[in-house]
Amino acid sequence: LGVVMPVGLMSGAMSQLVNNAVGIEASAGLWVSVSTVLEAELTTARKAVYILAKAVYLVAPNFQFHWPADAINQRHSLTHDVDGNLSLGYLGTVTAYTAIYITAVLGLAVVLFQKREVS
């Protein structure tokens, strides 16, 4: 928990830093991002760090969805509808993301411990 929470809270920021440094659009997919990093005029070490940051963003849970304070204060379109009211769609999206994540983690746990006696 001490590792997963901070990584989950920082993975989006790390990915955004890579996007800003290399000039990748926010809507670009993983393969476009990796190919852009590989084609950029950077040192091999920096390319490796950028690709690692993108991989962490892909694998780590994105807990920023559960931290909407900034978006609410700034009336971001993610959390507010056209009229400026809080959106229930955001709550539904976060709930679905959390349910899928919990299902995946529990499924992985079942697969890993299925043939082991843990008593």
Side-chain angles (χ1 to χ4, degrees):
L1 187 61
V3 173
V4 172
M5 280 297 287
V7 169
L9 288 171
M10 293 186 317
S11 63
M14 290 188 307
S15 178
Q16 186 63 37
L17 285 173
V18 172
N19 289 350
N20 291 340
V22 182
I24 301 170
E25 293 183 23
S27 62
L30 174 69
W31 300 116
V32 172
S33 298
V34 170
S35 65
T36 304
V37 168
L38 290 175
E39 293 171 358
E41 303 240 352
L42 302 168
T43 64
T44 305
R46 190 167 292 250
K47 287 180 183 181
V49 169
Y50 285 173
I51 290 173
L52 180 64
K54 286 293 188 176
V56 167
Y57 177 69
L58 180 67
V59 174
N62 188 354
F63 290 128
Q64 285 293 348
F65 290 127
H66 301 279
W67 199 285
D70 293 334
I72 290 172
N73 287 338
Q74 297 168 3
R75 294 191 147 334
H76 193 273
S77 62
L78 177 71
T79 58
H80 288 81
D81 61 10
V82 181
D83 298 327
N85 300 321
L86 282 176
S87 172
L88 291 178
Y90 177 74
L91 181 61
T93 302
V94 171
T95 303
Y97 179 82
T98 304
I100 291 169
Y101 182 75
I102 289 172
T103 303
V105 169
L106 289 176
L108 179 64
V110 167
V111 168
L112 290 175
F113 292 99
Q114 188 172 16
K115 296 187 179 186
R116 302 193 191 271
E117 188 171 334
V118 191
S119 60

